[in-house]
Amino acid sequence: MSPILALLIVALVSFALGSIPSGVVVGKLGYGVDIRKVGSGNIGTTNAFRAIGKVGGAIVFLLDFGKGVLSGVAANLVAQAVLGEGASLSVGDFLAVAFGCCIWGHIFSPWLGFKGGKGIAVAVGCLFVTFGPVGALIELAAFIVVVALTKHVSAGSITSAALCPAFAAYFFWGDWLAWAVCTAAALTVIWAHRENIARLRNGEERKLGH
């Protein structure tokens, strides 16, 4: 199989994995609740905690996190199998494409009319493969610090996404395709938080625990 064809397959599979609406599935099957009709209406972890409780929210987080990990691991295995010496593509390209497509699948899920979550749990899961444990933990630490200081989960999420291009430049220096895909994915996550950004500016964003 050619590396380009393999990369396209990775993109499609990662998008498909990301598109699985874990929050909707868990909410309806486990609790009889459509979390799109509760709180912010978002299908992600934060609203899942609000709509179906701590256990349900934790399950949604783990499933979304797992989608990201699985897409990254699969991309790495495919890259190792198809890339030979002198290949025009790199392992980083495969990891970045899996990262981006899994996030885009989550945010633009075809099962929900191309609507979805905001991509944070999925992104963190994939980053443990894309940037490795150290890079992912630094991103996670930035999220935790900002949330602790501001009490706004959205502020931590936006901060982590904003840091992603810089980390991508460090980990994929010279591999501008990988950097560009990671940056585009990060900008999409920030775009998905556009309503949160407006509320933060107006002092109307709900704080953690409220």
Side-chain angles (χ1 to χ4, degrees), residues 29 36 50 67 73 123 127 130 141 145 150 158 177-178 199:
L29 295 183
R36 294 173 295 178
R50 184 180 302 127
K67 293 189 300 188
V73 170
L127 281 180
T130 307
V145 168
T150 67
I158 294 163
L177 173 60
R199 288 194 294 269

Side-chain angles (χ1 to χ4, degrees), residues 77-132:
L77 291 174
V78 171
Q80 299 293 342
V82 302
L83 294 180
E85 187 176 350
S88 58
L89 297 172
S90 69
V91 174
D93 295 331
F94 279 76
L95 295 178
V97 165
F99 171 73
C101 288
C102 196
I103 290 172
W104 292 322
H106 183 76
I107 294 175
F108 305 111
S109 174
W111 311 111
L112 303 176
F114 294 96
K115 297 178 181 179
K118 297 179 181 178
I120 294 300
V122 172
V124 172
C126 205
L127 281 180
F128 271 90
V129 184
T130 307
F131 290 171

